Structures are given as structure tokens and as C-alpha cells.
């Protein structure tokens, strides 16, 4: 019944509301890391607005961004994405010093990435660390 649902909700620990739309989530992240790191993003407007994937994409982006700041000491992070015919590819590049060789366990929630992405990678390109992941779009029911 409706009352039981409400009781269940009350028992759950309070979660601060975070946007499920990737671009909005990034704006929130940008504010919260302001002064420590500059987060720049360029996401196509349609990404995560009309699909259930927005929440997952938001979480994965946040994970990659926070990881690059905490573990890589990144000061500038650039997030971009492109829509592919069967999904979305997101790239998070930063000027931190996290090297892939330092083991996938360095903070990056690899279980999260292994679970929700079709594939993902973290590579060193010159002075940058680049995390790329691809999400297959789930068809809306």
C-alpha cells in the first residue's frame, strides 16, 4: 500500500538530491570543486535527457572526474561526449598525473565501469590521462 511505501522511504538514509542529467550533474560538480579544479564540459544537449541512461552516465562521469582530482591531482578536467548510432561515448581528459600502470584499483570504481559500460579504458596521452567509456543506450519502454 501507499503508506507502507512512505514508511520505507522514511527509513532510508537521506541522499542529497543530485541531478540525473549529465550536464546538470557536471555543473553541480563544477561548483563543489570550484577553486580546486576547473571542470569544463561539452555534452550534446540530448545526452541523458530523454533516456534512462542519464543517471548511469552521470554517475560514471562523476566517478571519473572525482577520481582524477583525488588520485591524479588534476586541475583541469574536460568532459565531452558523442552520440553513436548504438550508444554514447564519453571522454574525460585531465591534466593529472595518474598513470594507468598504477593499477586499475587506484580509486577508479572499476566495478562500476565494468558493470555499466560496454567498454572503458584509461590511457596516458602525452601529459593527459584520458578515460573513455561507451554506454549502449537502453531502449525506452
Amino acid at each position: 500500500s501507499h503508506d507502507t511505501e512512505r514508511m520505507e522511504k522514511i527509513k532510508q538514509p537521506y541522499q542529497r538530491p543530485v541531478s540525473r542529467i549529465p550536464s546538470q550533474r557536471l555543473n553541480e560538480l563544477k561548483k563543489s570543486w570550484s577553486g580546486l579544479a576547473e571542470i569544463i564540459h561539452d555534452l550534446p544537449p540530448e545526452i541523458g535527457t530523454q533516456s534512462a541512461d542519464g543517471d548511469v552516465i552521470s554517475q560514471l562521469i562523476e566517478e571519473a572526474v572525482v577520481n582524477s582530482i583525488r588520485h591524479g591531482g588534476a586541475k583541469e578536467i574536460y568532459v565531452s561526449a558523442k552520440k553513436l548510432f548504438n550508444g554514447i561515448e564519453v571522454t574525460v581528459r585531465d591534466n593529472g598525473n595518474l598513470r594507468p600502470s598504477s593499477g586499475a584499483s587506484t580509486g577508479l570504481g572499476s566495478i562500476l565501469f565494468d558493470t555499466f559500460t560496454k567498454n572503458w579504458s584509461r590511457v596516458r596521452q602525452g601529459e593527459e590521462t584520458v578515460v573513455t567509456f561507451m554506454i549502449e543506450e537502453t531502449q525506452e519502454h
Side-chain angles (χ1 to χ4, degrees), residues 6 9 16-17 23 25-27 35 39 44 47 49 56 60 62-63 71 76 82 90 114 118 132:
R6 274 178 56 199
K9 269 212 164 52
R16 71 186 175 95
S23 56
R25 176 78 75 95
L26 275 160
N27 288 333
I39 299 166
I47 283 190
T49 46
V56 168
L60 292 167
E62 179 168 348
E63 182 70 35
H71 299 277
E76 282 168 35
K82 57 173 184 268
V90 179
D114 291 342
K118 192 169 162 28
T132 308

Side-chain angles (χ1 to χ4, degrees), residues 97-115:
N97 52 18
L98 196 59
R99 298 180 182 281
S101 59
S102 50
S105 62
T106 353
L108 190 61
S110 43
I111 295 162
L112 201 64
F113 283 79
D114 291 342
T115 309

Side-chain angles (χ1 to χ4, degrees), residues 1-11:
S1 77
H2 187 64
D3 281 347
T4 331
E5 271 177 48
R6 274 178 56 199
M7 285 311 292
E8 283 305 304
K9 269 212 164 52
I10 293 167
K11 283 186 225 158

Side-chain angles (χ1 to χ4, degrees), residues 15-28:
Q15 299 273 312
R16 71 186 175 95
V18 277
S19 176
R20 305 170 91 83
I21 297 171
S23 56
Q24 286 174 10
R25 176 78 75 95
L26 275 160
N27 288 333
E28 289 169 8

Side-chain angles (χ1 to χ4, degrees), residues 126-137:
E127 293 300 298
E128 294 184 317
T129 299
V130 184
V131 171
T132 308
F133 62 88
M134 150 91 175
I135 289 199
E136 281 186 298
E137 280 190 286

Side-chain angles (χ1 to χ4, degrees), residues 48-60:
T49 46
Q50 84 292 51
S51 76
D53 305 309
D55 200 33
V56 168
I57 294 170
S58 297
Q59 282 187 50
L60 292 167

